[in-house]
Amino acid sequence: MNPPSPELFQRARARFEELIEQNDEERQARLAALAGSDPELAAAVADLMAADARASGFLDRPAVA
């Protein structure tokens, strides 16, 4: 997948920041609604959500066990 344009990334980041504050059920519903009206934006937001999920907990693990 190609990286999003700067304009798309800016819009996706704004939506991501709105959705990240929601509970998982509300987040998924709003993302699904967005996919119906703007699939490209929804995909970019989903990518940001996935990256955030992968990054979560990074600092919870010690560097040396």
Side-chain angles (χ1 to χ4, degrees):
M1 178 177 171
N2 293 329
S5 69
E7 185 269 335
L8 178 60
F9 177 77
Q10 189 173 33
R11 291 176 42 223
R13 183 171 174 178
R15 289 296 178 103
F16 167 81
E17 290 174 4
E18 292 171 14
L19 294 180
I20 201 67
E21 299 296 324
Q22 305 299 316
N23 66 45
D24 191 52
E25 185 176 306
E26 178 68 18
R27 187 180 308 141
Q28 293 304 318
R30 291 179 67 185
L31 191 57
L34 181 60
S37 63
D38 192 340
E40 185 179 34
L41 178 58
V45 173
D47 287 347
L48 290 173
M49 295 269 190
D52 182 67
R54 286 189 304 270
S56 293
F58 171 75
L59 295 176
D60 294 337
R61 296 185 306 266
V64 178

